[in-house]
Amino acid sequence: VAKPTYVSRTGEVDLSVAHLGAGLLGLPLLAQGEQVARLLEARHRDGVRFPDVVVEMGRRGSKTTSVWSTIVGRAATRERYRAVMTAQRGVVASRIVVEHANLMIRAGHAAEAKDYRAGGADVPLLYRYAGRETIRWPNGNEVMAVPPDPGAIRSAAADDLVIDEGGELDPLRGQDFIDALRPLQDTRGPLAQYVLMGTPGKVRAGPFWTMLERGRARTDRDLGIADWCIRDEEDADDRRIWRRVHPGPSSGLTPMRVLEKRYRDGGPIAFAREYLCRWPADATTSAIDAQAWAAAERPTVAPPAWCGVAFDAQKDGMAASISAAWRVDGVPHVALLEYRPGTAWVARELRRILAVHRGVPAAADHIGANMPTVEDLSRGRPKVLVMAPSFKQIMGATQTFVSRLPAHQAQPDLERAVAAATWRDQEGGRLFGRRKSTEDISPLVSAVVALWAYDSRPERRPVVVMSA
Ligand SMILES: Nc1ncnc2c1ncn2[C@@H]1O[C@H](COP(=O)(O)OP(=O)(O)OP(=O)(O)O)[C@@H](O)[C@H]1O
Ligand SMILES: [Mg+2]
């Protein structure tokens, strides 16, 4: 069952207004709609518990409908109420208002204004003022679209301000826009709310990202959050995670079949962003959480006789690493065996290690900087066969590594590599990248490949003696 990864606690909340609103739209209030409504409708003294609310949910998860259920319910039950709806582009705001008005019309709970003479209706009417489409209730309450400019919004001063498709807001101009709206909130009544919702944008910046970060950190008591997102370390291919993160399958709105199709059509990176709410990685995105890494530290970690061994060279060959990896009752362990400048030493040192750890699997990514060593090992004596993971296997191994961080001893070179590692999106998945080109993550990469080598051959093969 889907549940938000980050969500503000509310306790018991009366959801009757949201249920009423959903009924006016002719739709049931689904579990995610109830969750959003709890956030919006939570009360504190004579006002709302959260004057600011941020909602992140995958595409077609029903975020717009969820928020609208409560907004329409308020318009139907409060006095002198106005909600203003906007988005990065005015046409989007207009479309959303018209779409929801049409739902109400179809359900028999609203009508087109052009079909009535002024004052003649006892149901809400849709006025198609271009760019300011408005649903107006008989008592004067309004839900209206407004173009995304601070002047227009100021003149339409409202109780609730709802900004949809927050990920589409321009990182810079969008922030200016929100900043210009801030003063409006100083004079709001205790029931007024500012709601920003959407799916991730193209960069980790801008008002939506900033508000999500604040919400996730729980530092602002006035900010409520409901955020159905995958965590950075989680595997975007794991179908169980899809079910947890996207409210579609468990609510019956978007079946897994549809998600699988979106995955095939759009590719894994776009799918993870739009349906699992994974924000694109950038130079500030640590691949490995520092606290989680520290939690896997042990006083001493020494490789047993049977382990996987791998080497990796820094891109320009300035330095190289050799690591060992193994499992104890399934728990991954890694150790950095050597880290030195240059690469000329690697083949010799690897032979020495393999003389101690006899017959264990040795591996390296067959990239440029590793090739001289691979060749040396295949030609010189004793001959060493170096397994090469495919591109896909490296991505899988990297995900395996971050999904369950290995036990390790504190080693400065490994610690530095872990701290420097960022995510680099690739066709079909992601790999480690480095924050700055001067940093070397080879101690980490060699550990990932060593664990892959171990997992490919986790046990010593029994020696079979054939006799004639
Ligand atoms: N409770 C419901 N019952 C039936 N259909 C629903 C319900 N809620 C939403 N829908 C429909 O599912 C579709 C997606 O809903 P909605 O537009 O609210 O999702 P969204 O998360 O805002 O999507 P997007 O990211 O594309 O904006 C819409 O066609 C909507 O009418
Ligand atoms: Mg929407």
Side-chain angles (χ1 to χ4, degrees), residues 428-446:
R430 51 189 191 155
L431 291 173
F432 289 141
R434 40 207 117 207
R435 218 174 295 272
K436 301 194 209 100
S437 57
T438 50
E439 283 161 343
D440 181 14
I441 59 169
S442 73
L444 175 61
V445 173
S446 60

Side-chain angles (χ1 to χ4, degrees), residues 242 246 249 254-263 271 275:
W242 292 16
H246 197 285
T254 334
M256 283 299 278
R257 175 172 49 76
V258 172
L259 297 187
E260 294 285 359
K261 178 157 169 41
R262 296 287 171 267
Y263 178 78
F271 179 82
Y275 288 84

Side-chain angles (χ1 to χ4, degrees), residues 22 26-30 32 57-66 69 95-96 99-100 103 164-165 197-199 246 253-254 274:
L27 299 171
L29 193 64
L30 303 173
Q32 59 271 40
M57 196 192 288
R59 302 270 336 250
R60 314 314 279 162
S62 90
K63 45 192 169 302
T64 304
T65 309
S66 296
S69 296
R95 175 175 55 73
I96 292 171
E99 274 176 15
H100 288 80
L103 286 174
D164 205 340
E165 313 209 337
M197 61 171 143
T199 47
H246 197 285
L253 191 61
T254 334
E274 295 195 2

Side-chain angles (χ1 to χ4, degrees), residues 18-197:
H19 279 286
L20 180 95
L24 293 175
L25 294 170
L27 299 171
L29 193 64
L30 303 173
Q32 59 271 40
E34 291 190 335
Q35 179 59 68
V36 168
R38 266 196 291 282
L39 214 54
L40 295 172
E41 288 286 277
R43 292 301 181 94
H44 180 64
R45 300 219 178 88
D46 59 344
V48 291
R49 167 74 188 79
F50 301 111
D52 297 338
V53 173
V54 64
V55 175
E56 181 176 56
M57 196 192 288
R59 302 270 336 250
R60 314 314 279 162
S62 90
K63 45 192 169 302
T64 304
T65 309
S66 296
V67 170
W68 267 76
S69 296
T70 298
I71 297 294
V72 167
R74 286 176 180 172
T77 54
R78 287 200 200 161
E79 293 293 324
R80 284 185 296 281
Y81 173 83
R82 181 197 268 157
V84 155
M85 174 77 43
T86 194
Q88 162 77 12
R89 291 179 305 138
V91 290
V92 172
S94 297
R95 175 175 55 73
I96 292 171
V97 169
V98 170
E99 274 176 15
H100 288 80
N102 282 335
L103 286 174
M104 293 175 66
I105 292 170
R106 235 173 288 145
H109 300 303
E112 291 273 358
K114 64 175 164 48
D115 297 340
Y116 284 84
R117 268 192 258 122
D122 56 358
V123 291
L125 298 179
L126 168 63
Y127 292 84
R128 295 176 177 266
Y129 311 132
R132 289 172 184 265
E133 287 76 359
T134 301
I135 308 171
R136 187 173 297 137
W137 271 254
N139 69 356
N141 284 356
E142 288 180 326
V143 177
M144 67 191 294
V146 168
D149 97 67
I153 290 176
R154 204 169 293 128
S155 64
D159 300 287
D160 294 333
L161 171 62
V162 178
I163 304 182
D164 205 340
E165 313 209 337
E168 304 290 317
L169 291 169
D170 183 88
L172 291 174
R173 283 185 302 129
Q175 191 64 56
D176 290 346
F177 170 55
I178 305 281
D179 290 346
L181 297 181
R182 279 280 157 197
L184 272 183
Q185 305 186 348
D186 299 343
T187 53
R188 299 182 307 180
L191 286 175
Q193 229 161 19
Y194 159 51
V195 182
L196 183 55
M197 61 171 143

Side-chain angles (χ1 to χ4, degrees), residues 356-396:
V356 178
H357 298 270
R358 294 182 72 88
V360 303
D365 196 358
H366 283 194
I367 52 162
N370 287 336
M371 285 322 283
T373 308
V374 170
E375 273 169 35
D376 183 335
L377 287 164
S378 71
R379 290 219 190 92
R381 298 176 135 280
K383 199 167 170 157
V384 176
L385 214 81
V386 181
M387 301 196 305
S390 70
F391 197 57
K392 214 172 154 188
Q393 285 170 325
I394 285 273
M395 287 191 290

Side-chain angles (χ1 to χ4, degrees), residues 318-386:
M318 299 292 288
S321 314
I322 304 178
S323 289
W326 63 98
R327 290 181 190 269
V328 179
D329 298 329
V331 179
H333 288 63
V334 299
L336 178 62
L337 302 181
E338 291 293 336
Y339 181 63
R340 297 188 211 159
T343 59
W345 58 273
V346 178
R348 188 175 6 101
E349 185 60 30
L350 195 76
R351 283 196 175 90
R352 195 190 61 75
I353 291 167
L354 293 179
V356 178
H357 298 270
R358 294 182 72 88
V360 303
D365 196 358
H366 283 194
I367 52 162
N370 287 336
M371 285 322 283
T373 308
V374 170
E375 273 169 35
D376 183 335
L377 287 164
S378 71
R379 290 219 190 92
R381 298 176 135 280
K383 199 167 170 157
V384 176
L385 214 81
V386 181

